[in-house]
Amino acid sequence: MGRAGRRPPALAALLYGALAALVLLGVRDVMFLYEDNRCSMTYMYEYPEYLKIKLPKKTARRYPAYELYLYGEGNYAEENKNLLLTGIPVLFLPGNAGSYKQVRSLGSIALRKAEDVDFKYHFNFFSVNFNEELVALYGGSLQRQTKFVHECIKVILKLYRDREFAPSSVAIVGHSMGGLVARALLTLKNFKPELINLLITQATPHVAPVMPLDRYLTDFYTAVNNHWILKAQDLRNLTTLSVAGGFRDYQVRSGLAFLPRLSQHDSALSVVSSAVPRAWASTDHLSIVWCKELILATIRAFFDLIDENTRQITEDPKKRMSVLNHHFVRHPAKMFEENPEVFTDLTGTFMWITVKGSKWTYSVYNDSDGKYFAFPLASHRKSYSHVYCENSMLDTSSWIYGCMNTNSSMCLEAADLSWKAELLPTTKIVMLKLLDYPSLSHIVIQVPPAAGNKYTLGCEFFKEDSRTVQLPVTHLFSFGLSSSKILLNSTGLFYNVQLQHFNQIYQAFKIYIESHCQSLKERKPSVYRLHIPWSYEDSITVAKVPSLTEISAKLHIAQPHDDSSLPELNIYSSPDCQYEVILKTSLLQVLGQIVRFHAGAFPVYIVSNILLTYGGQLSTLRSTGQCSDFSLELVRTAKPYKVEPLISIVVFLQGFNWFREIWESLSLPEVDAAVLSSQDAWFPLVSLILFLFGTGIAYWSGVFFSTSLRLFSSLWLTLIRPTELQKDKLITPRRLCGMISLALVSWTTCGAFAVLIIYLQYLFKVVKLHVAVRAEQNMHNRDSGHSKETSQNSSTHTIEAQSSVDSIPEATQSLSNSKILAEAMNSLKMHITILNLFTWIVLLNLPSFIYWLKNLRYNVGLDPDPCRSTAIILVCILEILMNSSTSEVKSRLFCMNPFVGTIGNETDWIFSIIDRCQNMP
């Protein structure tokens, strides 16, 4: 049997099955294996209402699909129907396919907060209706949305004109792509930057698009990010906060949500929701707009940003950053104060108790008398470097002080060290380096009277080296078979485990922390914090003691080249307990990281494999006269060395300005590898891994596609009588008219629509061909027994057969039918490969088609259309390809050279004669 007729080896099928399984495991890790949802739902206490704001006629006519609304509830909504607004304007921008009604969580909680302060201050929340456009996948409307938002800001500010405390700017909250649209406002020529002074984005991909499907999307990103980098000095009055969702958000990975590094570092802040104090929860892409813990932090920040004199958001950039750091980075468990008092007098009838030991714990329960515990520092400075204190009473009052002037019994003047504290889920902690406070003579802990309250306090002095241990992480290729272990015999309250060589995004580990205690008495929970020093992406886990806790350790951002710090596992432990820390590489999560960071490049590698396969089929057709199966040819031709060297060369040359200029002048898209390399998401062997994954996906997608065609053809055979195999002409007037019609459809309406039509037409033709081939095969199989019997009789009665002239036309007709069937089967294999390739092209163009379909009532034509010219080219090419067959190629090969190929039997010899005779003049 020839090469074209063989089935792919079972070993290859197993290999590609394993590769596809690895991809599925990675997808499963990204989309399903994440922490539980720890967010609480926000609820409205009254029915939400959305008051439509009337826009100027010119604006409404220019943007018929967009609208502006004001959010309200109950009496508040009734009062605002006349639009006599006196609050602080906040504009909410929904994201990709987002609804303007997503503002209700922010608006409702802000209303409840305003009620708590008797409406001394309140916010008016506006929201834009973008018609739920798919702007993350189609970039043609981003500029239009940006200009509409500019018009909305001008309309909103006009509503406050002639008010006593009229605002001059608007605060913006943007979800997903809405945050990018807000940043794009500053790129407009006629936009005044002072119109916005605060921008909060939720799960916005700032760095790059999740899927760069068209040039309008990538060009928009380039324009926005370049403007923010080049005009950083002009943005110093704009305070920007970006909140990412963490690992639960599989639509926008958190690394994309970090604002590009600016020269003005004091005006922008990027955090992951798992690190936000009082939230400590990862959110998915939608829950970030209603997660109660995050919304509360946002609204508290809004109210702390109010200037009492102007009753608007403060114009002081430093105060704005202080408030955001207070609520989103490090919360000291105290209410925000712009200028807190540094020194205070410790007065009252509290009892003073001196503690001379290096370790102290105290439990409070229904204490009627207040106490001050004083820790003299003079005796500890030589032996210890740090002091650590914790308090499980999570109120907002001051509790720890630094004494600067003492007499024999009490402290006269003290510095409030409570502002140095940090809030954790079950406790608030303070860690002080003694050398930083040379003027302090005592540390004082205040224990107020506790009426029915039960809480514990603890302090200890220690040397930093004694509480810091280093744990080297396991190698990537250990596959979880080896582990790193460390045993902590805890006699204190805090340990710091530094994770060595943990700095790349493709690393992923499981950390097991097992706690054992000497006694079974009730103990406070342990808190484990994975601290990443170069970005705000910490994650916190609370565990009972004793227990076995599993923590996932992976990064959102790789370590910068100029940073030498180490990730840390902070263990806030229970005294007299033993902690064993075991670290293993998690292969499943490594696959998840590859999918999370590089899934956008999968279509490129899949299409590359299909193109290599199609090229191999053409090569086989030239050499043997037969077209091989897709799966067999994929095994033979899809080799990494055919692609990898070219990618490496292009990525290397992208480092030179002259090459980038030539590349851009040719209007070529950016190479995925170069983009990921600029984001520190490219690592050795990743291109090879992606190619192999692409090969596995291409193989099994081809199997699935062929199986689906077989099922469709079986259904067709049972319902409709099949047509006979016949040879079609390549170009006919009817097909030429169809080609021109589809080109006009592409030019006047939507290119993706024309692509979809030609695809469905091609699919119908291939299914029809598949049905005809199966019917012809069935007929050929039924006649095969009769043919064999005729052949045996002919060999037995040779003389009679030679005298029987009537049997020659019958034999010739049988051979001709076999030839037509063989040609049809070859053509079918070729068409299946082309259709498989074309399927991926259609999928990548679907977003613009969906966008056009949703906006069809506003405009017949899609403007701008990213695939208009591409669609015209595809229509012309596919109209020719779908009507082509392998017979023309074979006949030319045989007629040009009778000795091409190997003629191994009489049938092949007869076929070659028929081929040449059919093409003779």
Side-chain angles (χ1 to χ4, degrees), residues 442-506:
H442 290 69
I443 295 292
V444 178
I445 302 294
Q446 179 183 1
V447 181
N453 293 325
K454 183 179 181 180
Y455 61 97
T456 59
L457 301 98
C459 285
E460 67 171 342
F461 293 84
F462 62 88
K463 282 187 176 181
E464 184 178 18
D465 295 342
S466 66
R467 298 300 171 85
T468 302
V469 293
Q470 293 186 338
L471 182 67
V473 300
T474 51
H475 195 271
L476 176 67
F477 295 109
S478 65
F479 303 117
L481 299 178
S482 62
S483 62
S484 293
K485 298 181 182 180
I486 196 166
L487 188 63
L488 305 174
N489 291 311
S490 175
T491 58
L493 303 174
F494 171 79
Y495 271 95
N496 181 26
V497 181
Q498 295 181 337
L499 305 178
Q500 294 179 306
H501 315 301
F502 180 29
N503 50 23
Q504 298 298 328
I505 54 99
Y506 56 83

Side-chain angles (χ1 to χ4, degrees), residues 376-387:
L377 299 181
S379 59
H380 295 303
R381 289 188 181 275
K382 294 182 180 180
S383 303
Y384 305 106
S385 62
H386 289 72
V387 59

Side-chain angles (χ1 to χ4, degrees), residues 30-104:
V30 171
M31 300 186 68
F32 302 105
L33 299 183
Y34 40 68
E35 66 179 67
D36 295 333
N37 187 8
R38 290 186 278 178
C39 283
S40 304
M41 175 64 76
T42 52
Y43 295 97
M44 285 78 249
Y45 291 92
E46 297 176 278
Y47 189 79
E49 295 185 29
Y50 305 89
L51 178 63
K52 185 177 179 180
I53 306 297
K54 186 177 180 180
L55 300 173
K57 292 183 179 179
K58 184 178 179 180
T59 303
R61 188 167 53 251
R62 184 179 298 174
Y63 308 100
Y66 300 158
E67 297 168 326
L68 177 64
Y69 289 88
L70 172 65
Y71 177 82
E73 294 179 17
N75 293 332
Y76 171 77
E78 288 293 327
E79 293 172 359
N80 287 333
K81 282 187 177 179
N82 56 8
L83 294 180
L84 298 176
L85 307 178
T86 58
I88 303 169
V90 180
L91 179 60
F92 176 79
L93 304 180
N96 178 59
S99 170
Y100 65 95
K101 295 182 180 180
Q102 290 174 316
V103 72
R104 60 182 176 267

Side-chain angles (χ1 to χ4, degrees), residues 100-134:
Y100 65 95
K101 295 182 180 180
Q102 290 174 316
V103 72
R104 60 182 176 267
S105 295
L106 284 166
S108 181
I109 290 184
L111 183 59
R112 303 283 86 78
K113 180 74 172 176
E115 290 175 350
D116 292 342
V117 296
D118 295 326
F119 282 92
K120 180 181 179 181
Y121 312 112
H122 70 278
F123 290 85
N124 303 129
F125 276 85
F126 298 84
S127 183
V128 173
N129 178 17
F130 284 136
N131 197 29
E132 300 185 7
E133 293 177 338
L134 297 174

Side-chain angles (χ1 to χ4, degrees), residues 614-678:
Y614 183 55
Q617 285 180 322
L618 293 178
S619 176
T620 304
L621 185 63
R622 291 191 192 98
S623 61
T624 66
Q626 293 180 329
C627 185
S628 55
D629 288 328
F630 174 83
S631 55
L632 177 65
E633 200 61 48
L634 180 72
V635 174
R636 189 179 70 87
T637 58
K639 306 300 180 185
Y641 61 80
K642 297 181 180 180
V643 176
E644 292 305 301
L646 181 61
I647 294 177
S648 301
I649 292 171
V650 172
V651 172
F652 173 75
L653 292 176
Q654 285 278 346
F656 299 98
N657 291 328
W658 61 268
F659 184 81
R660 284 201 303 270
E661 291 174 359
I662 295 174
W663 191 272
E664 292 172 1
S665 65
L666 296 174
S667 298
L668 295 173
E670 280 193 281
V671 181
D672 294 331
V675 174
L676 291 170
S677 180
S678 65

Side-chain angles (χ1 to χ4, degrees), residues 608-828:
S608 298
N609 277 278
I610 298 174
L611 285 173
L612 288 173
T613 304
Y614 183 55
Q617 285 180 322
L618 293 178
S619 176
T620 304
L621 185 63
R622 291 191 192 98
S623 61
T624 66
Q626 293 180 329
C627 185
S628 55
D629 288 328
F630 174 83
S631 55
L632 177 65
E633 200 61 48
L634 180 72
V635 174
R636 189 179 70 87
T637 58
K639 306 300 180 185
Y641 61 80
K642 297 181 180 180
V643 176
E644 292 305 301
L646 181 61
I647 294 177
S648 301
I649 292 171
V650 172
V651 172
F652 173 75
L653 292 176
Q654 285 278 346
F656 299 98
N657 291 328
W658 61 268
F659 184 81
R660 284 201 303 270
E661 291 174 359
I662 295 174
W663 191 272
E664 292 172 1
S665 65
L666 296 174
S667 298
L668 295 173
E670 280 193 281
V671 181
D672 294 331
V675 174
L676 291 170
S677 180
S678 65
Q679 300 173 14
D680 293 327
W682 196 257
F683 56 90
L685 299 180
V686 66
S687 185
L688 175 61
I689 294 172
L690 293 178
F691 184 89
L692 294 175
F693 284 172
T695 307
I697 296 172
Y699 179 89
W700 286 104
S701 67
V703 172
F704 174 78
F705 193 75
S706 300
T707 305
S708 300
L709 285 177
R710 194 174 295 111
L711 291 175
F712 277 123
S713 63
S714 300
L715 183 61
W716 186 304
L717 279 171
T718 58
L719 299 177
I720 303 173
R721 183 179 178 181
T723 58
E724 294 182 359
L725 287 172
Q726 56 184 358
K727 186 176 180 181
D728 292 335
K729 292 183 179 180
L730 197 61
I731 295 294
T732 63
R734 182 178 178 182
R735 287 173 185 154
L736 189 60
C737 290
M739 188 189 305
I740 296 173
S741 300
L742 285 176
L744 288 174
V745 168
S746 173
W747 190 262
T748 57
T749 59
C750 174
F753 181 46
V755 170
L756 183 61
I757 292 174
I758 194 71
Y759 172 77
L760 294 176
Q761 183 180 347
Y762 200 171
L763 181 62
F764 174 78
K765 192 172 184 67
V766 171
V767 172
K768 188 177 178 182
L769 178 61
H770 201 291
V771 170
V773 168
R774 289 193 63 180
E776 191 68 27
Q777 283 179 327
N778 293 338
M779 187 180 300
H780 183 73
N781 292 335
R782 284 197 301 268
D783 295 341
S784 61
H786 175 70
S787 299
K788 289 180 181 179
E789 184 179 352
T790 303
S791 176
Q792 291 174 359
N793 293 335
S794 298
S795 60
T796 307
H797 307 284
T798 308
I799 300 174
E800 294 180 9
Q802 289 176 351
S803 62
S804 181
V805 181
D806 294 337
S807 64
I808 296 177
E810 184 179 351
T812 305
Q813 180 64 33
S814 176
L815 292 172
S816 179
N817 291 339
S818 300
K819 176 62 171 61
I820 293 173
L821 177 61
E823 288 178 356
M825 291 178 65
N826 286 333
S827 299
L828 180 62

